[in-house]
Amino acid sequence: MKVLNWILIISGICGLIGVRGLEESLFYDPFLGYFHEANKNIEIPSFEWGKLILGHLFRFALNLFFSCLIIQGIFKNKQWTMQGAVMMMIVFAIALPIYFYCIYDQFGIGYLFSFYMRRFVIQPLIILLIIPMFYYRKQMLVKNKKS
């Protein structure tokens, strides 16, 4: 790989680590402590909907940016990077309203379900599926060119 590709990958990984490491100071999320306690019997924290929505959108934007750096660095294909970004946006667009409904319902739908929906909202988990999928796609393209 070229040096620029490694810089993109390392920057993306460091960015994702930074987002996770600085989450308490960068984002408004009163549920960090709630889910960190891992006790479904503690009281749900008070929060402001507007700040919570903006905090999650900002976090998603940062995660998306750094994830796209990683995808671009690995595959060197702008079209695939855009496809990865669209896939991440689709998952976020599905998971965010479900998670907000869980909050609205005061986690009545289930503590663990709410916990894992939150993971899909605040963490770039979908990249763990996108990279192997694109790698397989790349291998299939190489195989088809040979035959």
Side-chain angles (χ1 to χ4, degrees), residues 31-73:
F31 294 99
L32 282 172
Y34 177 79
F35 283 109
H36 185 70
E37 288 294 321
N39 180 358
K40 62 183 176 182
N41 297 320
I42 63 173
E43 187 175 324
I44 295 172
S46 60
F47 64 95
E48 293 180 39
W49 278 105
K51 281 184 167 181
L52 186 66
I53 292 168
L54 289 176
H56 284 314
L57 289 174
F58 178 53
R59 185 172 185 152
F60 170 73
L62 289 175
N63 284 335
L64 179 67
F65 174 75
F66 292 124
S67 297
C68 287
L69 287 180
I70 294 168
I71 293 170
Q72 182 62 35

Side-chain angles (χ1 to χ4, degrees), residues 1-16 65-66 68-74 76:
M1 288 184 144
K2 296 179 184 176
V3 174
L4 178 62
N5 294 331
W6 279 109
I7 291 172
L8 287 174
I9 294 167
I10 292 169
S11 298
I13 291 170
C14 289
L16 291 176
F65 174 75
F66 292 124
C68 287
L69 287 180
I70 294 168
I71 293 170
Q72 182 62 35
I74 292 173
K76 300 169 284 299

Side-chain angles (χ1 to χ4, degrees), residues 62-103:
L62 289 175
N63 284 335
L64 179 67
F65 174 75
F66 292 124
S67 297
C68 287
L69 287 180
I70 294 168
I71 293 170
Q72 182 62 35
I74 292 173
F75 298 107
K76 300 169 284 299
N77 186 321
K78 289 180 184 176
Q79 183 180 6
W80 289 12
T81 301
M82 290 303 296
Q83 289 173 355
V86 168
M87 283 187 254
M88 287 184 264
M89 285 188 262
I90 289 170
V91 169
F92 183 75
I94 293 169
L96 186 67
I98 295 171
Y99 173 61
F100 284 157
Y101 176 76
C102 291
I103 293 172

